[in-house]
Amino acid sequence: QVHLVESGGGSVQAGGSLRLSCAASEYTANTPCVAWFRQAPGNEREAVARIYVPGDRPYVADSMRGRFTISQDNAKNTVYLQMNSLKPEDTGVYYCAAGVRCGWLADGYNSWGQGTQVTVSS
């Protein structure tokens, strides 16, 4: 497992932007995949985007493609989630996770950050 710390959350109006950061203590052979998930009150945790760190292969969930971008800075062991054109339904706690299985399911990731709150007002 690795230690993950998210930052960059906050409150914005609809149409605004935020960039979330996920800083890792290190990425190992057991944690080549990093993903962002989000969870709104009363809802299940939802996959947002993922990236295969060694190969820099990014993917964004269909419902957010075109607005969200995932990227990485290997020198800083940091993965970013750029969120543009935010909507009130994007509100929730955003978590980054790392693991060996690069999929959309939360159980494929064994390291999780503490989460950062994103609130989008209309």
Side-chain angles (χ1 to χ4, degrees), residues 16 18 38 48-49 59-61 63-70 81-87 90 94 118:
L18 285 172
R38 69 184 184 186
V48 174
Y59 299 91
V60 178
S63 60
M64 286 153 268
R65 194 171 302 152
R67 298 191 299 122
F68 291 8
T69 304
I70 187 170
L81 182 69
Q82 178 68 43
M83 304 186 295
N84 299 327
S85 302
L86 283 162
K87 305 175 182 180
D90 293 319
Y94 284 68
V118 171

Side-chain angles (χ1 to χ4, degrees), residues 30-111:
N30 291 326
T31 56
C33 303
V34 177
W36 285 97
F37 290 80
R38 69 184 184 186
Q39 189 166 21
N43 290 357
E44 294 185 354
R45 195 164 292 189
E46 174 187 23
V48 174
R50 70 179 198 260
I51 189 166
Y52 179 65
V53 172
D56 194 19
R57 295 200 290 266
Y59 299 91
V60 178
D62 289 345
S63 60
M64 286 153 268
R65 194 171 302 152
R67 298 191 299 122
F68 291 8
T69 304
I70 187 170
S71 62
Q72 63 180 1
D73 184 334
N74 287 339
K76 297 181 179 179
N77 281 346
T78 299
V79 170
Y80 302 100
L81 182 69
Q82 178 68 43
M83 304 186 295
N84 299 327
S85 302
L86 283 162
K87 305 175 182 180
E89 51 263 43
D90 293 319
T91 294
V93 179
Y94 284 68
Y95 300 90
C96 72
V100 68
R101 290 162 54 187
C102 297
W104 293 120
L105 299 179
D107 62 5
Y109 299 85
N110 56 12
S111 297

